[in-house]
Amino acid sequence: MKVSESVLSVTNETLKISSSFYLEFIDITEQVEHAIKNSNVLNGIVVVFSKHTTSAIVIQENEPLLLEDFKVVIENIAPSSANYMHNDFETRTVHMHEDELPNGHSHCQHLYLGSSETVPIIDGKMPLGQWQRIFMIELDGDKASQVEFREVVVQILGQS
Ligand code: ZN
């Protein structure tokens, strides 16, 4: 369907997502749907973007046993018990904070999962498949306990 000519609008919203543990899958689909509704965009795209290098955005199925499988797979990609140079605070000098905690595994896992998902908006809705949900995955449990929330930017671009 060809979309009629109308003004392009851009809406930005930052979701504050409270996470609490390592490999927590947080379904943020409803929050993204809410942001789309607020934007009044009927046809366009929505970008869901994590501002963190240790929390990822993915589209997957929210089936509890499958989420447990994912945790095993992600832990296998970069085991939390393995050695990472990023965790060697004796020799590392870059991006060191006072409250730095070892999270080399979190970054390496994120490398495979990515920071964002882009979804079309058609007639005011994301045309998600029956089982598709948008998740933020917390890859750093220590960080999650240090900060109040994670930030996920939702940018909606389209025509109303
Ligand atoms: Zn780090």
Side-chain angles (χ1 to χ4, degrees):
M1 185 184 75
K2 191 172 178 185
V3 176
S4 60
E5 286 176 36
S6 63
V7 179
L8 192 70
S9 77
V10 181
T11 307
N12 301 310
E13 190 175 317
T14 301
L15 306 178
K16 293 175 166 62
I17 308 295
S18 295
S19 58
S20 43
F21 56 89
Y22 174 53
L23 296 182
E24 181 179 10
F25 280 66
I26 302 174
D27 189 330
I28 60 170
T29 312
E30 283 180 15
Q31 283 140 289
V32 176
E33 285 171 343
H34 193 70
I36 293 169
K37 199 171 176 209
N38 283 346
S39 76
N40 292 319
V41 164
L42 290 178
N43 289 287
I45 55 170
V46 57
V47 179
V48 183
F49 171 76
S50 164
K51 287 182 67 173
H52 310 280
T53 54
T54 58
S55 69
I57 302 293
V58 302
I59 293 179
Q60 257 303 338
E61 180 175 344
N62 194 353
E63 192 282 292
L65 297 179
L66 184 60
L67 298 184
E68 293 305 312
D69 291 331
F70 291 157
K71 291 175 187 180
V72 173
V73 169
I74 294 170
E75 173 67 14
N76 283 338
I77 287 172
S80 49
S81 58
N83 291 321
Y84 300 89
M85 292 170 74
H86 184 67
N87 296 351
D88 183 356
F89 299 164
E90 298 293 310
T91 53
R92 186 175 139 204
T93 57
V94 175
H95 299 169
M96 289 297 295
H97 298 280
E98 257 178 47
D99 51 1
E100 194 71 29
L101 290 165
N103 65 356
H105 62 292
S106 313
H107 293 284
C108 291
Q109 292 164 352
H110 186 274
L111 187 65
Y112 288 83
L113 295 168
S115 298
S116 68
E117 290 279 7
T118 305
V119 185
I121 301 167
I122 300 171
D123 296 332
K125 288 180 178 160
M126 291 183 284
L128 293 173
Q130 185 178 8
W131 305 119
Q132 286 184 309
R133 305 292 291 179
I134 304 168
F135 288 94
M136 189 197 88
I137 311 174
E138 179 55 72
L139 301 169
D140 185 348
D142 289 331
K143 192 63 167 181
S145 61
Q146 274 179 345
V147 298
E148 201 180 334
F149 52 79
R150 298 293 221 164
E151 289 185 297
V152 174
V153 175
V154 177
Q155 183 173 65
I156 298 153
L157 186 128
Q159 297 170 319
S160 53

